Amino acid sequence: MSRNRLHEFRLKADITGEKEFQPLEPKNQAMDNKNDDEGSGDTVIEVKESVDSEVESYFMEVNDTRKMIQELDTDVERVKQLHKTIFSSVYSDERKKVELDNLISVIKTSSQVIRLKLKDMKEANFQAQEEGGASAPVRIRTTQHSALQQSFIDVMYEYQIAQTKYRDKCKAQIKRQIEITGKNFSEGEVDDMIEKGNWSVFTQGIIVLETQQAKKVLADVEARHQDIQKLEQSLLDLHGLFAELAVMVEAQGHVVNSIAASVMETVDYADKGRRELRKAVILKKKVRKKQICVYLTLAMVVLIIALILTSYFCGLF
Amino acid sequence: MTSLKNVTKQLIINEVLRGSSSATDNKNSNDLNQEWRVLILDKQATKVLTSCCNMQAVATEGISMVEDLYKKRQPFPNLEAVYILQPNSESMECLLQDLKLEQPMYKSFHIFFLEICPMDLFDTLCGVPQKRRIKTLKEINFSFIPAESNVYLLDSESSMKLYYNPQQNDEGNMLVELQKLAERLATVCATLGEFPSIRYRAGYPKNVVFAKALERKLQEYKAGDQGMGEGPEKLRSQLIILDRGFDCVSPVVHELTFQAMIHDLLDVKDNVYTIKSQNKSKDILLDDNDESWKSLKNIHIAEVMQKVPEEYKKFLESKNIHSNKTNIKDLQLMIKKMPQYQKQLTMLDTQINMAADCNSAFKRIEKLCEVEQDLATSVDGEGEKLRDPMPQINPIILDFDVFSEYDKLRVIILYILFKNGVPQSSLQKLLQHANVSSDMHSIVTNLSLLGQNVISGEGNNGNQIPRKEREGVRYKLSRWVPVIKDVMEYALDDNLDKRLFPFQLNRLSETGYRVPTSTRYGWHNQGSLPRNRPKIIIFVMGGVTYSEIRSAYEVNSQQNDYEVIIGKKR
């Protein structure tokens, strides 16, 4: 499908020893250049380096956050798997449940950490934006931030879907087990029972039966019910986070994620020198304005004094 | 189904984004300490990438930001640069600018061409001062826009004018433009790995010129990649070139499926529709990634109006949310209460809004649609043959409140096509009564350039493609079936008229002959082998309509043997 023309290019461009080509070499070359035209180039390079180190440290931050999001993603995947195994096994495996509980609490804390991190980044971006407008480092920041945020939203959305699915499955199982006891309940009644954890109607039926098996069913149902309650609790814990995510989604929209929109945002790069120059021009204008004001007031004062003097002298005569 | 979008996305990510990072030394693409790179795009590359990737996908592959090739950019001597561009003089000029700088603009350069780079431009690249920093130089052969899973676009604005220009003075320009288009169309085939037999509509003389140009380009690509078009299925693939003259009705008739209506009647820019509610407005991206949009877009509006609220209710019930009213304010309240359902709810909410907007727009043109359908099918709503449509046309033409100039032009064009040309005097009268401004008259008269009879007795052949009889019309206002559907179905059944659609070069392995094993395992089970299907690639010079795209999807879902990929020039 694609054709690599690098070899052809290197032959034609007469670049020898391409294999040994060191990435460091051009840097030296750049240094040479710098030494060649001393003075004029010096300041420019300094500016660039400060920008680069700033960008570099930002990249580190981005990498860290991305790593965290990836870890969160694997945790969520694990939760999904656990859900599956818990449902497919006949016996309720306590170890699996403990693991699930642990995972859920890990997800809870790490998602909060990521959320705070993203928030911090956003605030820093705002600040940078106010200082630098749409300059390249600022755009790097916004691009990376929104990409991370999107990834985070995706992962949390996955998690939420997994949780609700699990809850629905638990509910369905409880319903089935209630039906097995032979009593018929309406959909609403079952929902009510699950919500309130009120098993009196149900236990009545079983007490009548009083079999070993029925007791086991009851224990099972109660265990499932506990699961649901735990789930509800964990979703409730994350309620604030989801509310925030909802705001994020709303604010971000689809359009931010579009490459074309991102390209449209770019502006011509004006290097720092030119920006300084513009500042200087503005300052100069301001100074001139002030000067004019001073001259005017001086003239006024002189005029007034002259008036007073003349009227004084006129009064004398 | 191999979606054109997915194929291209994979290609971009694997070939370009990952390919350029492994070139620098770290082979493991999941390595988090990857090199950060700047992605620089020209105009065409921006369109291509936007249609198949998003910022998130790009950023995850280690792109720090995306830049515009044409603008003055800030140098980042510590970052690597990935260029994706078309090898034309304008884009190359910008690239050379970067490479000519004494101070290196970027640490290294990874250059990807969307098409085959011409030798002269290649040579200029060989002489730049920063040539040692060029680490990658590849042609990715990828100069089309994957608009939907089965729709591609070749972006070319001037070709329509040049192609249908009756004067010969622009011959040179036209040939250059045709070469360009052929190149782009060839990249579609190359990306799909197809080396199809080319067929073209004989009714328009320039089609054969284009077919020949395309054949040459395909041979070029085939020479570069012998594996292209190999395999039993691929031998049966076809590419059909059509000029817009094969069906002038479809572009004019109002189509009443969701997607077509949104684009036709509502204000959509770059696939973004803005919903205006009481005080806020919201931008919606109409994109195939949105599953529910994908499932709705080719459905008739009447069904959409029924389906969307139903789904909405179902969703609310399943989540135990009880609400009688479903206006936006309630929704916002609900979202506040249950933020976890926000995504689904807003999606449903958007669709309700869009459907409602469509519906109100449709109310305005309901009467017009009826007349249009009668004229297009030559049969009225009761199934009687249409004799004199004037009584229905007149109220539309003479109306000045409801119908716009374009609405009237649509009716007039359909009337002319129905009559196969009208006398000069009656055309003048029609335009006059409709109060069509004189600079718009050419819209009607230029139809003759597409091979239609505008004035009776012009002697143009018009449309010769025999129509298929179809039964079971579901909606009175959607009786018209685009001609392209017939063409596709004939092609699938292998009885597309060879006089009307000759082969440029028949590579089909003896028509009717099928690979022996395939008959045994049954072509009907193709569903299990979705990848290996011969393809019918259609290209319409002058663009396709949403109704035609919809037809392609319909044919696709009915036919397991072939996959139809439809293409247009925007």
Coordinates of all heavy atoms in Angstrom, one line a residue, chain B residues 364-395:
Chain B
R364 N -43.3 22.3 5.9 CA -43.3 23.4 4.9 C -43.3 22.8 3.5 O -44.0 23.4 2.6 CB -42.1 24.3 5.1 CG -42.0 25.5 4.2 CD -40.7 26.3 4.4 NE -39.5 25.6 4.0 CZ -39.1 25.5 2.8 NH1 -39.7 26.2 1.8 NH2 -38.0 24.9 2.5
I365 N -42.6 21.8 3.2 CA -42.4 21.3 1.9 C -43.3 20.1 1.5 O -43.1 19.5 0.5 CB -41.0 21.0 1.6 CG1 -40.4 20.0 2.6 CG2 -40.1 22.3 1.5 CD1 -39.2 19.3 2.1
E366 N -44.2 19.7 2.4 CA -44.9 18.5 2.2 C -45.6 18.4 0.8 O -45.5 17.4 0.1 CB -46.0 18.4 3.3 CG -46.6 17.0 3.3 CD -47.5 16.8 4.6 OE1 -47.5 17.7 5.4 OE2 -48.1 15.7 4.6
K367 N -46.2 19.5 0.5 CA -47.0 19.5 -0.8 C -46.0 19.4 -2.0 O -46.3 18.8 -3.0 CB -47.7 20.9 -0.9 CG -49.2 20.7 -1.2 CD -49.9 22.0 -1.1 CE -50.9 22.1 -2.2 NZ -51.4 23.5 -2.2
L368 N -44.9 20.1 -1.8 CA -43.9 20.1 -2.9 C -43.4 18.7 -3.1 O -43.2 18.3 -4.2 CB -42.7 21.1 -2.4 CG -41.5 21.2 -3.3 CD1 -41.9 21.9 -4.6 CD2 -40.4 21.9 -2.6
C369 N -43.2 18.0 -2.0 CA -42.6 16.6 -2.1 C -43.6 15.8 -3.0 O -43.1 15.0 -3.8 CB -42.5 16.0 -0.8 SG -41.1 16.7 0.2
E370 N -44.8 16.0 -2.7 CA -45.8 15.1 -3.5 C -45.7 15.4 -5.0 O -45.6 14.4 -5.8 CB -47.2 15.5 -3.0 CG -48.2 14.4 -3.1 CD -49.5 14.8 -2.5 OE1 -49.6 15.5 -1.5 OE2 -50.5 14.5 -3.2
V371 N -45.6 16.6 -5.4 CA -45.5 17.0 -6.8 C -44.2 16.4 -7.3 O -44.2 15.8 -8.4 CB -45.6 18.5 -7.0 CG1 -45.4 18.8 -8.4 CG2 -46.8 19.1 -6.4
E372 N -43.1 16.6 -6.6 CA -41.8 16.1 -7.0 C -41.9 14.6 -7.3 O -41.3 14.1 -8.3 CB -40.8 16.4 -5.9 CG -40.3 17.8 -5.9 CD -39.2 18.0 -4.8 OE1 -38.9 17.0 -4.1 OE2 -38.7 19.1 -4.7
Q373 N -42.5 13.9 -6.4 CA -42.5 12.4 -6.5 C -43.3 12.0 -7.8 O -42.9 11.1 -8.5 CB -43.1 11.7 -5.3 CG -42.3 11.8 -4.1 CD -41.0 11.1 -4.2 OE1 -40.9 10.0 -4.8 NE2 -39.9 11.6 -3.6
D374 N -44.4 12.7 -8.0 CA -45.3 12.5 -9.2 C -44.4 12.7 -10.4 O -44.4 11.8 -11.3 CB -46.5 13.4 -9.2 CG -47.5 13.1 -8.1 OD1 -47.3 12.0 -7.5 OD2 -48.4 13.8 -8.0
L375 N -43.7 13.8 -10.5 CA -42.9 14.1 -11.7 C -41.8 13.2 -11.9 O -41.5 12.7 -13.0 CB -42.4 15.6 -11.6 CG -43.4 16.7 -11.7 CD1 -42.8 18.0 -11.4 CD2 -43.9 16.7 -13.2
A376 N -41.1 12.8 -10.8 CA -40.0 12.0 -10.9 C -40.3 10.6 -11.3 O -39.6 10.0 -12.2 CB -39.2 11.9 -9.5
T377 N -41.4 10.1 -10.8 CA -41.8 8.7 -11.2 C -42.8 8.6 -12.3 O -43.1 7.5 -12.8 CB -42.5 8.0 -10.0 OG1 -43.5 8.8 -9.5 CG2 -41.5 7.8 -8.8
S378 N -43.3 9.8 -12.8 CA -44.3 9.8 -13.8 C -45.6 9.1 -13.4 O -46.4 8.8 -14.3 CB -43.8 9.2 -15.2 OG -42.6 9.7 -15.5
V379 N -45.8 8.9 -12.2 CA -47.0 8.2 -11.7 C -47.5 9.0 -10.5 O -46.7 9.4 -9.7 CB -46.6 6.7 -11.3 CG1 -47.8 6.1 -10.6 CG2 -46.1 5.9 -12.4
D380 N -48.8 9.2 -10.4 CA -49.3 10.0 -9.3 C -49.5 9.1 -8.1 O -49.3 7.8 -8.1 CB -50.5 10.8 -9.7 CG -51.7 9.9 -9.9 OD1 -51.6 8.7 -9.6 OD2 -52.7 10.4 -10.5
G381 N -49.9 9.7 -7.0 CA -50.0 9.0 -5.7 C -50.9 7.8 -5.8 O -50.7 6.8 -5.0
E382 N -51.9 7.8 -6.7 CA -52.8 6.7 -6.7 C -52.3 5.6 -7.7 O -53.0 4.6 -7.9 CB -54.2 7.1 -7.2 CG -55.1 7.6 -6.1 CD -54.6 8.8 -5.4 OE1 -54.4 9.8 -6.1 OE2 -54.4 8.8 -4.1
G383 N -51.2 5.8 -8.3 CA -50.7 4.7 -9.2 C -51.1 4.9 -10.6 O -50.9 4.1 -11.5
E384 N -51.8 6.0 -10.9 CA -52.2 6.3 -12.2 C -51.0 7.0 -13.0 O -50.2 7.7 -12.4 CB -53.4 7.3 -12.2 CG -54.6 6.7 -11.6 CD -55.3 5.7 -12.5 OE1 -55.5 6.0 -13.7 OE2 -55.6 4.6 -12.0
K385 N -51.0 6.8 -14.3 CA -50.0 7.5 -15.1 C -50.2 9.0 -15.1 O -51.4 9.4 -15.3 CB -50.0 6.9 -16.5 CG -48.8 7.3 -17.3 CD -48.0 6.0 -17.8 CE -46.8 6.4 -18.6 NZ -45.7 7.0 -17.8
L386 N -49.2 9.7 -14.9 CA -49.3 11.2 -14.9 C -49.4 11.7 -16.3 O -48.6 11.4 -17.1 CB -48.1 11.7 -14.2 CG -48.1 13.2 -13.7 CD1 -49.1 13.4 -12.7 CD2 -46.7 13.6 -13.3
R387 N -50.5 12.5 -16.6 CA -50.6 13.0 -17.9 C -50.3 14.5 -18.0 O -49.3 14.9 -18.6 CB -52.0 12.8 -18.4 CG -52.2 11.4 -18.8 CD -53.6 11.0 -19.3 NE -53.9 9.6 -19.1 CZ -53.3 8.7 -19.8 NH1 -52.4 8.9 -20.7 NH2 -53.6 7.4 -19.6
D388 N -51.0 15.2 -17.2 CA -50.8 16.7 -17.2 C -50.5 17.2 -15.8 O -51.4 17.4 -15.0 CB -51.9 17.4 -17.8 CG -51.7 18.9 -17.9 OD1 -50.4 19.3 -17.9 OD2 -52.6 19.7 -17.9
P389 N -49.2 17.4 -15.5 CA -48.9 17.8 -14.1 C -49.1 19.3 -13.9 O -48.9 19.7 -12.7 CB -47.4 17.4 -14.0 CG -46.9 17.5 -15.4 CD -48.0 17.3 -16.3
M390 N -49.4 20.1 -14.9 CA -49.5 21.5 -14.7 C -50.4 22.0 -13.6 O -50.0 22.9 -12.8 CB -49.9 22.2 -16.0 CG -48.7 22.7 -16.9 SD -47.2 22.8 -16.1 CE -46.9 24.6 -16.2
P391 N -51.5 21.4 -13.4 CA -52.4 21.9 -12.3 C -51.7 21.8 -10.9 O -52.0 22.6 -10.1 CB -53.6 21.0 -12.4 CG -53.6 20.4 -13.8 CD -52.2 20.4 -14.2
Q392 N -50.9 20.8 -10.8 CA -50.2 20.7 -9.5 C -49.0 21.6 -9.4 O -48.7 22.1 -8.3 CB -49.7 19.2 -9.2 CG -50.8 18.3 -8.9 CD -50.5 17.0 -9.6 OE1 -50.7 16.8 -10.8 NE2 -50.1 16.0 -8.8
I393 N -48.4 21.8 -10.5 CA -47.1 22.6 -10.5 C -47.5 24.1 -10.3 O -46.8 24.8 -9.5 CB -46.4 22.4 -11.8 CG1 -45.8 21.0 -11.9 CG2 -45.2 23.4 -11.9 CD1 -45.2 20.7 -13.2
N394 N -48.5 24.5 -10.9 CA -48.9 26.0 -10.9 C -48.9 26.5 -9.5 O -48.3 27.6 -9.2 CB -50.2 26.2 -11.6 CG -49.8 26.4 -13.1 OD1 -48.7 26.8 -13.5 ND2 -50.8 26.0 -14.0
P395 N -49.7 25.9 -8.5 CA -49.7 26.5 -7.2 C -48.4 26.7 -6.5 O -48.2 27.6 -5.8 CB -50.6 25.6 -6.4 CG -51.0 24.5 -7.3 CD -50.5 24.7 -8.6

